[in-house]
Amino acid sequence: MNKLKLFLTLTFISFCLSNLIAQKTDGIHSIVIFEFKGNGIIRIDSNGETNFGEKIDLKTLNKKIEKFLVSADYKKSGPDNNPPPPVSKPNEGTKNTYIIIILEEDFLKDKDYANKTKYTKEYKNVEQEFTQYEILDLLSKHDKEKILKNLQKK
């Protein structure tokens, strides 16, 4: 009887641990690059899948993302259920670009909110040809080119 209890206890503990390990909580949940009066929107999910049908390798980005968000002055906003704020209109001949990042840990923690904790960087009134988004430097040259090419196609 004691062996059965021990076996069942160990089985239960290993099941619980495997669920905790399987639930990925580090890295990004999603990245959105939105150009207002620019070329379009790029979405990248936690698996590197994009809205333009190509995969992006996020290994390096996921390792460095938290330190990067602090050093690159991304603005953190907490979770809420409010409608999104309006975006400002750029000057003639320019564009405003918004990069919004949601971390996987925040996505899981904020599951009861419509708007998850997010990190945002705004590039206001930049030239139409502007492509110097620091976040893209955390990707391979090939992946960076794929994203920029697809932003320009829109």
Side-chain angles (χ1 to χ4, degrees):
M1 187 65 159
N2 285 339
K3 288 183 180 181
L4 179 61
K5 285 181 183 179
L6 179 63
F7 174 75
L8 291 174
T9 302
L10 290 175
T11 303
F12 177 73
I13 290 171
S14 64
F15 177 75
C16 291
L17 288 176
S18 67
N19 281 341
L20 286 174
I21 292 169
Q23 189 174 30
K24 181 182 151 197
T25 60
D26 59 335
I28 67 146
H29 173 74
S30 61
I31 298 175
V32 175
I33 303 172
F34 168 67
E35 290 185 335
F36 184 52
K37 291 271 186 164
N39 298 313
I41 297 175
I42 297 289
R43 285 185 216 87
I44 306 168
D45 71 13
S46 60
N47 297 316
E49 300 292 335
T50 64
N51 61 324
F52 54 88
E54 295 189 46
K55 192 158 175 104
I56 302 295
D57 183 5
L58 299 175
K59 287 178 192 160
T60 304
L61 177 78
N62 280 335
K63 289 178 187 173
K64 298 179 179 180
I65 190 67
E66 290 187 38
K67 288 181 183 176
F68 171 80
L69 293 173
V70 172
S71 67
D73 293 325
Y74 274 68
K75 182 179 137 194
K76 181 178 180 179
S77 58
D80 61 46
N81 289 316
N82 301 326
V87 294
S88 58
K89 186 176 180 182
N91 295 333
E92 191 63 36
T94 65
K95 65 183 177 184
N96 289 351
T97 301
Y98 302 87
I99 299 179
I100 302 161
I101 300 170
I102 299 175
L103 299 177
E104 188 68 27
E105 178 181 16
D106 293 327
F107 180 80
L108 295 170
K109 179 182 65 161
D110 301 338
K111 66 181 180 217
D112 295 331
Y113 293 95
N115 302 312
K116 313 303 182 218
T117 298
K118 62 183 169 265
Y119 298 83
T120 307
K121 178 109 180 207
E122 300 177 50
Y123 298 85
K124 291 190 174 186
N125 295 311
V126 294
E127 298 299 321
Q128 288 289 337
E129 294 79 29
F130 181 82
T131 59
Q132 301 304 311
Y133 308 118
E134 297 98 348
I135 187 94
L136 298 182
D137 293 338
L138 297 178
L139 300 172
S140 71
K141 182 180 178 187
H142 180 67
D143 285 340
K144 181 178 180 176
E145 288 171 357
K146 282 194 272 188
I147 290 171
L148 292 174
K149 178 184 81 172
N150 281 283
L151 262 179
Q152 293 164 356
K153 276 204 285 189
K154 306 284 178 190

